[in-house]
Every structure is written in structure tokens, then in C-alpha cells.
Amino acid sequence: SLRFSLDVAATTPGPRYAEISRIDWDWGDGTPADSGRSVTHRFASRTPVRVRCTVTNNLFCASSRDLFPFGPLTALAEDRARAAALAVFPNPSADGRFTLRLADAAAAPPGARLTICDALGRVLSQLPAESPQTRVIDLSQQPPGVYLLRLTWPDGSTVSKKLVRW
């Protein structure tokens, strides 16, 4: 849990007769927003999120400030989240069948593609990644070896997993 508070004494004065009347906290993690000068929130994970604090005065003027309690979302954090969204098991596989699971629908937006390549980079198959969320990748007709499963998002970013058939 983290405690967030707004030091009202440190805020700059607004228009004449203006007083802070409401402070809203949007947690950025899908949980309901809170209100108050001092609030405590328990985040489900240490995944970077944006917390937005909105201060409204009695004249209905509002100002928002974004806070990053775990640091800003970086490209590395986005890549890790995408990599965690793709699970392949069993790996290695004796019979050449692998189960592929995408964590959620947001993991593979429309236009995302799955590509399976052999160790030399030759494309064995390509298919859309949107649905179903769980599918079987069948390499039983391929010789034992190392294969590459690549998930490509519409923006061009990729996540790759090594598949071992023995």
C-alpha cells in the first residue's frame, strides 16, 4: 500500500475567494477512484501505472497532475509486459505440439501476427494472433530442432519465444 497526500499549505493561491473543495485520485489500474486530501491505495502489482491527482476548487476550476509511483512506463517495461503475455508450454516438446496462450485480448490487438520459423529463419507458417487466446502449435511433422515463434504487433514491435522439439 502507498499513501498519497496533498499538502494544501504548499499549493499556490488561486483566484480570490478560491479554496480547494475536492481532490480526486485516479489510480490508473482499473480500480475505483478515491477522493480526499490523504488516501491510501494498494496496487495489485509493481507494474508501472499513471496516478492522476485532480484538484478542484469551489469556483469549479480544476487542475490535474500525473504521478508515477513506480517510475514512468518505459519501453523495457512495455516489452516485459508483452513477453509475459505470451506463454508456450510444454517447452521442450517430445511430440512437437506446443500450447500457446495469450494472457488477454489486449495482448494481441487486431492485426497482430504469429510467425513460426525454423532455425535458418525460413517461415513455416503465419497466422493472425487475435483469436483464439489458447491454441496448439503443431510441429509434429517437422524434424527435431529449435524453432522460433514470433508475435508481431501492428506497430512492428515483436516478442519471440524459442521452441524446442526433441
Side-chain angles (χ1 to χ4, degrees):
S1 293
L2 293 178
R3 184 155 189 76
F4 295 84
S5 43
L6 180 66
D7 184 359
V8 178
T11 59
T12 57
R16 190 171 180 189
Y17 306 115
E19 297 175 0
I20 293 176
S21 61
R22 184 173 178 87
I23 301 171
D24 295 311
W25 300 89
D26 175 5
W27 303 114
D29 61 359
T31 59
D34 282 327
S35 295
R37 293 181 192 273
S38 185
V39 294
T40 302
H41 184 71
R42 180 180 211 78
F43 292 93
S45 71
R46 289 191 53 89
T47 302
V49 294
R50 175 211 36 87
V51 175
R52 179 168 286 163
C53 176
T54 303
V55 178
T56 307
N57 67 18
N58 59 330
L59 301 174
F60 302 104
C61 296
S63 177
S64 296
R65 172 77 43 116
D66 289 345
L67 310 168
F68 296 91
F70 303 120
L73 188 60
T74 62
L76 177 60
E78 287 180 11
D79 288 347
R80 286 182 179 161
R82 286 180 172 178
L86 178 63
V88 179
F89 54 92
N91 197 10
S93 171
D95 66 358
R97 288 183 175 83
F98 301 86
T99 300
L100 165 71
R101 180 173 295 140
L102 294 172
D104 55 27
R113 306 270 317 148
L114 282 169
T115 305
I116 301 168
C117 300
D118 65 10
L120 297 175
R122 293 179 295 211
V123 175
L124 301 177
S125 70
Q126 260 189 341
L127 49 147
E130 296 100 45
S131 62
Q133 293 304 105
T134 301
R135 67 178 71 197
V136 174
I137 304 295
D138 188 357
L139 298 178
S140 61
Q141 302 303 312
Q142 299 296 325
V146 177
Y147 297 87
L148 182 73
L149 172 68
R150 185 174 50 238
L151 175 59
T152 305
W153 275 264
D155 67 3
S157 59
T158 62
V159 170
S160 299
K161 298 280 184 172
K162 180 172 56 172
L163 304 176
V164 179
R165 180 186 172 352
W166 50 295

